[in-house]
């Protein structure tokens, strides 16, 4: 499992280099380790190497993993699609949900948060490049949804999350990520107190950092290739 420690160090170095190249402070960019499809031992190895924030796509898989890792002080982020029948599990087990894209899902998460739990930290997933079959609120509807979600008692609206289509090169990736950053800045200017822009994965984290991401979600570069491709949201 020292491979995971080495990989984590390489990813941190990539993030730092990307920050240096565009004059940002590396402390502004959090690293979320995406552990979907990998077992508890891989998460344990990453934690031993200093990683505490983990992202999971498949809710039941994640809940099982959390039970096996209950002895560790980890922060769990839901980054997969959330159907109505899964909101309770998310509210009961996760610390963050990045993939809220409808008011109904946000309302259920708020209502179902157990009394003993801290508020759920939420990002709105935005369909930034308009993929017709993709999850995510349309950019033009993001401000309205953000204002509604910000009113819910048991949620803290932290920001936006995007999963753009894979881009053929840096310039294309940068252009899409910049649209997300512009929308984020627009919501902040409209009075929403947001501090998180969750964008950038193994293939495009440099472009995301250049555009102003504050949280990159990295799986493959830390844990290795996944046996079966995970469906993106
Ligand atoms: C799988 C996944 C990631 C990580 O992707 P990699 O290319 O393996 O770094 C990030 N975000 C979401 C939403 C994912 O589904």
């Amino acid at each position: 499992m020292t491979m995971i420690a080495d990989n984590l160090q390489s990813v941190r170095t990539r993030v730092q280099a990307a920050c240096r190249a565009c004059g940002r402070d590396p402390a502004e960019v959090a690293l979320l380790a995406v552990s979907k499809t990998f077992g508890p031992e891989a998460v344990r190895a990453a934690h031993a190497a200093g990683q505490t924030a983990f992202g999971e796509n498949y809710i039941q898989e994640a809940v099982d993993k959390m039970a096996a890792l209950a002895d560790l002080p980890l922060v769990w982020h839901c980054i997969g699609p959330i159907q109505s029948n899964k909101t309770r599990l998310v509210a009961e087990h996760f610390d963050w949900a990045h993939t809220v894209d409808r008011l109904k899902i946000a309302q259920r998460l708020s209502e179902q948060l157990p009394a003993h739990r801290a508020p759920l930290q939420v990002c709105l997933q935005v369909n930034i490049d308009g993929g017709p079959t993709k999850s995510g609120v349309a950019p033009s509807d993001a401000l309205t949804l953000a204002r509604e979600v910000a009113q819910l008692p048991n949620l803290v609206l932290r920001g936006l999350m995007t999963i753009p289509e894979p881009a053929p090169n840096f310039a294309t990736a940068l252009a899409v990520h910049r649209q997300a950053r512009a929308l984020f800045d627009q919501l902040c200017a409209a009075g929403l107190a947001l501090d998180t822009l969750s964008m950038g994965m193994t293939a495009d984290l440099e472009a995301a950092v250049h555009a102003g991401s504050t949280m990159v979600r990295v799986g493959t570069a830390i844990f290795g290739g996944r046996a079966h491709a995970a469906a993106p949201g």
Side-chain angles (χ1 to χ4, degrees):
M1 288 291 178
T2 61
M3 193 187 80
I4 289 176
D6 291 347
N7 290 348
L8 257 176
Q9 194 47 52
S10 303
V11 170
R12 291 183 190 125
T13 302
R14 277 178 68 184
V15 172
Q16 286 160 9
C19 287
R20 208 172 307 118
C22 63
R24 295 186 63 197
D25 178 353
E28 292 173 14
V29 184
L31 174 60
L32 183 62
V34 177
S35 45
K36 65 184 176 207
T37 79
F38 291 92
E41 291 317 311
V43 173
R44 220 170 258 287
H47 175 260
Q51 181 68 28
T52 55
F54 292 87
E56 290 281 340
N57 289 59
Y58 311 110
I59 290 158
Q60 190 57 55
E61 173 195 330
V63 169
D64 295 343
K65 216 175 289 184
M66 289 172 196
L69 294 163
D71 57 310
L72 299 182
L74 306 179
V75 179
W76 292 99
H77 295 239
C78 178
I79 60 170
I82 306 174
Q83 314 300 340
S84 292
N85 63 356
K86 289 286 163 53
T87 52
R88 185 174 298 279
L89 274 180
V90 173
E92 287 175 350
H93 295 278
F94 281 90
D95 303 290
W96 285 66
H98 290 222
T99 44
V100 171
D101 63 359
R102 292 178 276 152
L103 182 59
K104 181 182 162 209
I105 295 293
Q107 285 168 331
R108 289 174 66 92
L109 290 170
S110 182
E111 284 160 12
Q112 294 170 342
L113 191 86
H116 66 275
R117 295 214 87 213
L120 187 67
Q121 311 297 303
V122 166
C123 293
L124 302 185
Q125 182 176 348
V126 180
N127 185 356
I128 195 68
D129 49 5
T133 62
K134 276 172 51 182
S135 317
V137 61
S140 55
D141 296 334
L143 177 58
T144 302
L145 180 61
R147 286 194 165 126
E148 290 167 339
V149 171
Q151 301 301 318
L152 296 172
N154 297 325
L155 307 184
V156 177
L157 180 64
R158 297 292 296 268
L160 303 180
M161 178 269 206
T162 61
I163 316 176
E165 290 301 309
N169 54 49
F170 181 88
T172 310
L174 182 63
V176 176
H177 289 316
R178 280 192 165 141
Q179 290 177 36
R181 179 69 206 204
L183 181 63
F184 176 83
D185 290 341
Q186 186 192 321
L187 267 56
C188 293
L192 290 152
L194 307 182
D195 64 3
T196 302
L197 181 54
S198 164
M199 64 183 190
M201 319 201 311
T202 292
D204 63 350
L205 74 86
E206 283 84 3
V209 167
H210 276 252
S213 168
T214 73
M215 191 181 288
V216 292
R217 309 179 307 265
V218 179
T220 306
I222 296 173
F223 296 107
R226 290 177 291 272
H228 47 89

